[in-house]
Amino acid sequence: MTVLRFDNVSKQYPGGQAALAGVSFAVEPGEMLFVTGHSGAGKSTLLRLIHLVERPSSGAVLFGERNLARVRGGGIARHRRQIGVVYQDHQLLEDHSVAENVGLPLLLRGVRRAEVGKRVRVLLDRLGLGARAQALPAQLSAGEQQRVGIARAVIAEPALLIADEPTGNLDPTLSAEIMALFAALPERGTSVLVASHDLALVRRMRRRVLVLDQGRLVDDIAPEDLADA
Ligand SMILES: Nc1ncnc2c1ncn2[C@@H]1O[C@H](COP(=O)(O)OP(=O)(O)O)[C@@H](O)[C@H]1O
Ligand SMILES: [Mg+2]
């Protein structure tokens, strides 16, 4: 079953020109892909349509078998719980420890504290953050903070992870490290969609790349076609 499908999606903001125009693509379970393009190409808009921050002007966005146009009211929060989101500026709770930040999505889902603690420990160890569990976000490096943001986004094992310019505030070495972390997530069954204007970084990851240009999907590059990049 397809995780995500854009079917001829266009988006026009009030008074603006088309932010997305006739965009179609599908994402399979466990697939990782990037969406790239210049500033203003429509990358953030594409992600906002998935997270129901915006609605398409025409066309359909399907998550699983469900047309998101039919998701309204309380269904929006339920929909969002199935998607992990990583932000450019991590948005961690500054007065809570790393472990508390990462465990929060599980607590909100009603998972018992003992179970939350266990799952948080396993994930933090896997991300190389085991020794930082009791630290506050401000005590971490920028790369560590972003890793905590990723941990929080994946702890509840969402079907899809979306990230908008997740390396925007990191230097090239840390950016590569964070991208490698994203690339490892599909092994756990989570599909990953990362928006980045950094085409050189994206090409080096050797994954599928969607290229947006002024709202149009102008290329959908398979990993094997990036081999000589
Ligand atoms: N809330 C908004 N209202 C009006 N226009 C917007 C809004 N958000 C984005 N846009 C416009 O839509 C286009 C695509 O923007 P965006 O999706 O942010 O692109 P990207 O993330 O690739 O830089 C741009 O022309 C931008 O100015
Ligand atoms: Mg953007």
Side-chain angles (χ1 to χ4, degrees), residues 92-138:
L92 300 173
L93 301 175
E94 295 293 345
D95 54 345
H96 289 263
S97 71
V98 164
E100 287 167 343
N101 268 281
V102 173
L104 192 59
L106 292 179
L107 288 177
L108 292 176
R109 284 167 176 76
V111 179
R112 290 221 210 102
R113 272 185 189 276
E115 173 71 14
V116 171
K118 209 184 304 171
R119 284 169 65 178
V120 167
R121 267 194 304 280
V122 168
L123 182 59
L124 288 179
D125 282 343
R126 186 157 72 81
L127 299 188
L129 291 164
R132 311 298 277 142
Q134 298 315 316
L136 293 173

Side-chain angles (χ1 to χ4, degrees), residues 40 42-45 48 164-165 195:
K43 306 179 293 297
S44 296
T45 297
R48 289 202 289 265
D164 196 356
E165 306 282 359

Side-chain angles (χ1 to χ4, degrees), residues 36-37 43 165 167 172 175 179 195-204:
T36 191
K43 306 179 293 297
E165 306 282 359
T167 63
S175 295
M179 287 302 191
S196 173
H197 70 278
D198 189 343
L199 182 58
L201 176 64
V202 164
R203 292 187 78 98
R204 278 200 297 278

Side-chain angles (χ1 to χ4, degrees), residues 26-145:
V27 178
E28 301 306 318
E31 186 174 9
M32 184 200 189
L33 70 165
F34 290 94
V35 54
T36 191
H38 296 121
S39 173
K43 306 179 293 297
S44 296
T45 297
L46 187 149
L47 296 184
R48 289 202 289 265
L49 293 174
I50 299 168
H51 208 227
L52 289 183
V53 181
E54 297 286 349
R55 300 282 184 170
S57 306
S58 64
V61 179
L62 288 91
F63 185 74
E65 299 292 283
R66 172 170 300 189
N67 185 337
L68 293 186
R70 289 197 203 95
V71 177
R72 301 267 164 192
I76 294 175
R78 276 197 298 280
H79 167 70
R80 287 182 181 156
R81 260 181 250 134
Q82 299 173 66
I83 298 174
V85 183
V86 175
Y87 302 91
Q88 180 169 343
D89 54 347
H90 65 72
Q91 300 197 8
L92 300 173
L93 301 175
E94 295 293 345
D95 54 345
H96 289 263
S97 71
V98 164
E100 287 167 343
N101 268 281
V102 173
L104 192 59
L106 292 179
L107 288 177
L108 292 176
R109 284 167 176 76
V111 179
R112 290 221 210 102
R113 272 185 189 276
E115 173 71 14
V116 171
K118 209 184 304 171
R119 284 169 65 178
V120 167
R121 267 194 304 280
V122 168
L123 182 59
L124 288 179
D125 282 343
R126 186 157 72 81
L127 299 188
L129 291 164
R132 311 298 277 142
Q134 298 315 316
L136 293 173
Q139 298 170 315
L140 304 179
S141 70
E144 286 173 331
Q145 288 172 349

